Amino acid sequence: MEFRIDRTAFAEAVGRAVRALPARTPVPVLGGLLLEADAGRLAVTGFDFEAAVRVEADAEIAVPGRVLVLGRRLLDVCRVLPDGPVSCALEASRFAVEAGGTRFGLSTLPLAEYPALPAPPAPYGTVDAAAFATAVAQVAVAAGRDDTLPLLTGVQLRLDGGEMTLAASDRYRYAVRRLQWQPGAAADGVVEALLPARRLLDVARSLGRCGDVVIGWDPAAGGGLIGFEGGRTRTALRLLDGRLPTYKSLFDMAGAAVAEVECEGLAEAVRRVAVVAEANSPVRLDFSSDGSVMLRAGYGDDVAVQRLPATLSGADEMPVAFNPAYLLDALTSFESPRVRLELLGAGQRALLHAAPGDGAAEAAGEMPREPAGEHRHLLMSVKQLV
């Protein structure tokens, strides 16, 4: 095996593929990247049974071949290589990398012990890459981080007709985002898949500038994998078992008071007053019909307060309190300038969504029809107010 490749393209391919490698593994070959050189291109693949990432780049191939190299060591080498062409060759059991007068020799791993890679699922439809990346980021903040409860570490993907729904919950919050996608000829019926949130977020970010993302799904093969392809990167993720509990009844906020406030200003105020709060201490928000909300945090002599303009309807006043980290996650997930909060009271549910921009509907006292791209974020308020 021998090839020549641009340093930037090489480093980018290795950097994307290495994200699929496990942090720790008892199987040494799973720490390796598979490099395949053939027909004017280099393919770099990372695999750990839960995800497979394959990235292709143009290269001048002198001798085609395959080699398995420690992925993170190769990435370290790529980071320090000078700009310009990089020459790589397999020399017996050593993989040589040379650029700008600097030469590295890396040990190789046994190819015969590398597991068979999963076949990529067949194309099922496409979605705008930028919209998909935004939607995944908006819901992934609500996914759990506790690996002992894998069901709650996932993002549920639902494909129904031309609508895609993404949802995540860690029991204390529940985020849902809908967007449009384009089903392919093979798309038939409703698809539901629970995907690991951290990996899906990596995939969506890496493909965010690819124009369109091709979603792969093959129910005939058992539906154990779902694929995402954009540009020259192809990823397959293994599904998690189970499905999230339904959210429709949770999002029914009949009888709620409705507050509206400038989103970025509220987020900045939460960051500011939470400085004096102890770990896991709540931030209190006192909404009033006089057109303001008072934020409070801290206890005793260590306290902070700030007042912001806000509107409130359905009640004369509404005191609620939230975990400040959860509230910030929710607020920063919105792209709209103003956020609407439907509030049932202390210790009860609060539903956040973008404030409607339909002035005529608001003047008539009506809620505008929910757009297909609506993002909603449910939080549990703290029962004990500060």
Side-chain angles (χ1 to χ4, degrees):
M1 173 195 232
E2 184 177 346
F3 62 90
R4 187 178 173 91
I5 187 171
D6 177 74
R7 181 260 176 196
T8 300
F10 190 37
E12 183 177 340
V14 170
R16 287 189 178 184
V18 83
R19 298 182 70 86
L21 302 185
R24 300 179 186 85
T25 174
V27 185
V29 292
L30 289 183
L33 289 180
L34 177 63
L35 276 61
E36 301 172 282
D38 188 27
R41 59 110 180 104
L42 173 72
V44 184
T45 302
F47 177 59
D48 74 344
F49 291 109
E50 302 302 321
V53 178
R54 177 186 173 93
V55 186
E56 294 186 354
D58 293 329
E60 300 174 14
I61 309 301
V63 179
R66 306 166 79 229
V67 66
L68 190 64
V69 185
L70 280 172
R72 290 187 171 83
R73 178 64 56 81
L74 181 58
L75 180 60
D76 289 341
V77 169
C78 289
R79 285 171 172 163
V80 299
L81 289 173
D83 290 335
V86 180
S87 298
C88 301
L90 181 59
E91 301 171 349
S93 62
R94 175 173 293 181
F95 183 65
V97 181
E98 184 175 0
T102 304
R103 182 179 175 86
F104 297 88
L106 305 178
S107 57
T108 60
L109 299 169
L111 267 172
E113 297 179 13
Y114 197 62
L117 297 171
Y124 200 73
T126 61
V127 63
D128 179 80
F132 182 63
T134 297
V136 172
Q138 287 176 317
V139 301
V141 296
R145 274 72 165 174
D146 185 357
D147 290 332
T148 63
L149 297 170
L151 172 68
L152 298 180
T153 65
V155 169
Q156 188 156 300
L157 170 70
R158 178 183 171 90
L159 304 175
D160 185 2
E163 185 174 88
M164 174 188 294
T165 304
L166 299 165
S169 174
D170 64 357
R171 294 182 298 182
Y172 305 105
R173 44 192 173 165
Y174 207 135
V176 176
R177 173 72 154 85
R178 299 202 309 268
L179 67 158
Q180 299 297 312
W181 82 300
Q182 183 62 49
D188 182 28
V190 177
V191 170
E192 286 195 346
L194 186 63
L195 300 165
R198 180 181 60 83
R199 293 194 182 274
L200 182 61
L201 186 58
D202 281 346
V203 170
R205 284 173 174 168
S206 68
L207 300 179
R209 298 182 180 179
C210 292
D212 286 327
V213 173
V214 178
I215 297 176
W217 173 260
D218 190 357
L225 291 173
I226 193 164
F228 302 92
E229 183 174 353
R232 306 186 71 177
T233 300
R234 186 174 68 209
T235 302
L237 298 181
R238 192 167 299 281
L239 309 187
L240 297 173
D241 292 329
R243 68 186 306 276
L244 293 180
T246 59
Y247 57 85
K248 289 186 177 180
S249 61
L250 294 174
F251 283 25
D252 181 3
M253 302 293 289
V258 178
E260 193 172 305
V261 63
E262 198 270 323
C263 191
E264 186 176 344
L266 180 58
E268 198 56 43
V270 171
R271 292 189 189 96
R272 191 172 294 121
V273 301
V275 167
V276 300
E278 300 291 335
N280 299 319
S281 294
V283 169
R284 175 169 172 167
L285 287 75
D286 286 289
F287 288 95
S288 172
S289 58
D290 68 0
S292 70
V293 56
M294 177 70 80
L295 283 76
R296 309 171 190 264
Y299 297 98
D301 292 332
D302 296 324
V303 294
V305 297
Q306 181 173 348
R307 188 180 296 275
L308 295 174
T311 62
L312 178 68
S313 59
D316 291 333
E317 58 182 32
M318 178 58 67
V320 288
F322 300 100
N323 177 308
Y326 289 177
L327 180 56
L328 278 173
D329 281 344
L331 292 172
T332 55
S333 70
F334 288 93
E335 296 184 311
S336 60
R338 295 181 64 80
V339 65
R340 174 169 285 187
L341 300 89
E342 297 182 43
L343 307 167
L344 293 175
Q348 301 189 61
R349 306 187 308 277
L351 183 63
L352 284 69
H353 51 90
D358 187 346
E362 290 185 78
E366 301 172 354
M367 286 288 289
R369 188 177 185 277
E370 295 175 351
E374 188 198 12
H375 167 45
R376 293 178 289 173
H377 196 115
L378 188 80
L379 286 176
M380 286 303 299
S381 63
V382 178
K383 189 172 184 179
Q384 182 64 44
L385 298 180
V386 294

